[in-house]
Amino acid sequence: MSILSEQETSSDFETSTVFTAITHNRYGEPGEVLVASEFKAETLQPRSRDVVVRVSKRPIHPGDLHIIRALAKGGPSTPISTDTGTDLGRYGLPMGRVPGFEGVGVIERFGSDANRENKLAIRQRVAFFHPKAASWSSLTVVPSEALVPVPDDVPDEIAAQMLVNTITARIVLRAGHNSLPPDFELPVYILQTAAGSAVGMLISRLAMDLGVKPIRLVRFGERARTLEAVLPGSPVIATEDRDWKAQVKVAFEDRPLQVVIDSIGGSFLNEVASLMDYGGAIVNFGWLGEGVPDLTGFAPNGLSLRGVSIGGWIQSTTAELRASDIKAALRLAQKFPELFPVAADYSLSDFQQAISHVEKPKVGTVILSS
């Protein structure tokens, strides 16, 4: 008998409904290990406080591909089981793991205890982020506490990507704040790499709202000009310029460089470290760069390298802080939709083309639509 209560209110959802899911039963190159398969909704394994969501759109984050490839920068890799009796991201799918942590869709059905406080409704549009959301599927099962009602003025393509990127930006800025000396005074100047990325733009916006002045680095001059037009208010410097380090020093107006927000890593860490004052900290949340950094100069200069990720947000963040992060995501989505550009929107069946697009230079997030 299904865990779902027979007395609950539901849509015309039936367990015989067929849905499509992208799965992999081993780690490796996405083009080799991912497959699209059809399943009946009876295959889902919801619990009493879970909600069945029909997903309309979900982003492909670079981190999703790191995990599929079992790269260290994607975090620890857990074994993939194909036993249908196990909990595979709230699924019992015989084909294995379903990628994706984030998306937007409509509620199809509640578990017996999932809507105890009557805050949600069937067919209500919701966004979600959860480590077991398995969003690369047209139907998924999400814990009710992970659902965020989406206002009417936030379109699906923005709602689908607003949570992970904004929460990451907030986590990074909190780590940067904690790295400042106790006697700091505003305005604080920070150096920010990959400032034209989806998360980078949100970090810049949130920093400026806090009275912090980010000096923003991008790779190319064309991207610098675009970013200045979309998000004015602080300098943007292209590292393709030979004198980019001199431009950084001018932009800092003789203020100390204590914090670098970085998502490039690699050998580029040494380039930014060479600009820092004694005792500074590099807050890293990504590793897009090539090469290996030489950290031998960090100790003599009192520098620190601090890695942060969204992985522990649900387990280690207070409920009040999580609510504040979600509120910030909704505010940005409503007030600054230009900070959530879409590079392309592919159908779920064209997921391999979408993945190829993610790995090319682009502006914005690649979306998969059901």
Side-chain angles (χ1 to χ4, degrees):
M1 181 176 177
S2 170
I3 293 177
L4 298 174
S5 169
E6 297 299 328
Q7 298 179 350
E8 69 182 319
T9 302
S10 68
S11 65
D12 54 1
F13 173 81
E14 300 289 343
T15 57
S16 60
T17 298
V18 174
F19 67 96
T20 300
I22 310 301
T23 65
H24 62 113
N25 58 19
R26 60 188 176 92
Y27 294 107
E29 284 300 309
E32 299 175 2
V33 301
L34 293 176
V35 295
S37 304
E38 290 189 341
F39 302 89
K40 288 186 178 181
E42 65 185 9
T43 315
L44 301 174
Q45 300 294 317
R47 298 168 182 168
S48 61
R49 290 192 61 80
D50 289 340
V51 176
V52 177
V53 176
R54 184 172 299 279
V55 186
S56 58
K57 294 181 185 292
R58 75 284 290 160
I60 301 180
H61 293 294
D64 295 324
L65 305 185
H66 298 337
I67 293 171
I68 293 168
R69 292 185 170 112
L71 299 179
K73 55 188 174 182
S77 298
T78 56
I80 300 174
S81 173
T82 55
D83 179 357
T84 58
T86 61
D87 178 12
L88 303 174
R90 304 286 176 165
Y91 280 84
L93 298 186
M95 295 300 291
R97 176 182 178 271
V98 181
F101 306 115
E102 178 178 32
V104 65
V106 296
I107 294 173
E108 287 282 357
R109 198 166 188 184
F110 293 111
S112 57
D113 295 323
N115 201 29
R116 187 179 299 169
E117 298 178 3
N118 297 316
K119 292 183 177 180
L120 301 169
I122 294 296
R123 297 299 186 191
Q124 183 173 1
R125 197 163 59 109
V126 290
F128 58 87
F129 158 59
H130 193 272
K132 293 186 177 182
S135 64
W136 290 22
S137 175
S138 55
L139 279 179
T140 192
V141 177
V142 183
S144 57
E145 63 269 19
L147 300 180
V148 179
V150 179
D152 291 341
D153 59 349
V154 177
D156 277 2
E157 61 267 23
I158 292 179
Q161 57 168 307
M162 68 179 180
L163 293 177
V164 165
N165 286 345
T166 304
I167 291 167
T168 298
R170 298 258 295 181
I171 292 170
V172 167
L173 285 174
R174 284 198 286 268
H177 178 273
N178 293 338
S179 300
L180 289 169
D183 58 346
F184 78 89
E185 295 180 359
L186 292 173
V188 170
Y189 284 50
I190 63 173
L191 186 64
Q192 184 187 348
T193 71
S197 68
V199 178
M201 290 193 295
L202 292 167
I203 290 172
S204 298
R205 177 72 270 166
L206 291 167
M208 288 188 278
D209 288 347
L210 293 169
V212 173
K213 188 170 184 178
I215 308 303
R216 299 173 286 173
L217 298 182
V218 296
R219 187 174 179 183
F220 301 111
E222 181 180 357
R223 181 58 181 144
R225 291 185 288 273
T226 301
L227 186 56
E228 286 175 331
V230 173
L231 185 57
S234 68
V236 184
I237 298 168
T239 57
E240 69 173 355
D241 295 344
R242 290 185 178 181
D243 66 340
W244 70 268
K245 289 186 180 181
Q247 293 181 50
V248 169
K249 291 180 179 179
V250 170
F252 267 80
E253 301 175 339
D254 295 324
R255 290 175 179 265
L257 173 49
Q258 295 287 345
V259 174
V260 172
I261 302 297
D262 173 66
S263 61
I264 296 180
S267 58
F268 193 68
L269 280 179
N270 296 112
E271 300 295 325
V272 296
S274 69
L275 296 167
M276 301 186 70
D277 286 84
Y278 186 89
I282 298 177
V283 178
N284 173 270
F285 66 99
W287 208 261
L288 303 175
E290 301 295 332
V292 178
D294 178 5
L295 305 182
T296 55
F298 273 53
N301 293 290
L303 302 181
S304 62
L305 175 61
R306 179 176 180 181
V308 297
S309 76
I310 199 171
W313 181 75
I314 293 175
Q315 290 80 14
S316 61
T317 306
T318 65
E320 291 77 14
L321 197 51
R322 292 198 301 272
S324 177
D325 289 341
I326 291 170
K327 184 178 179 180
L330 289 168
R331 180 185 69 84
L332 290 174
Q334 290 177 292
K335 190 174 181 180
F336 301 105
E338 67 275 11
L339 298 182
F340 300 90
V342 175
D345 193 327
Y346 293 86
S347 68
L348 196 62
S349 60
D350 293 329
F351 68 93
Q352 292 290 6
Q353 295 180 43
I355 289 171
S356 295
H357 196 150
V358 170
E359 304 197 284
K360 297 175 181 177
K362 64 188 184 308
V363 176
T365 300
V366 174
I367 300 291
L368 279 177
S369 294
S370 299

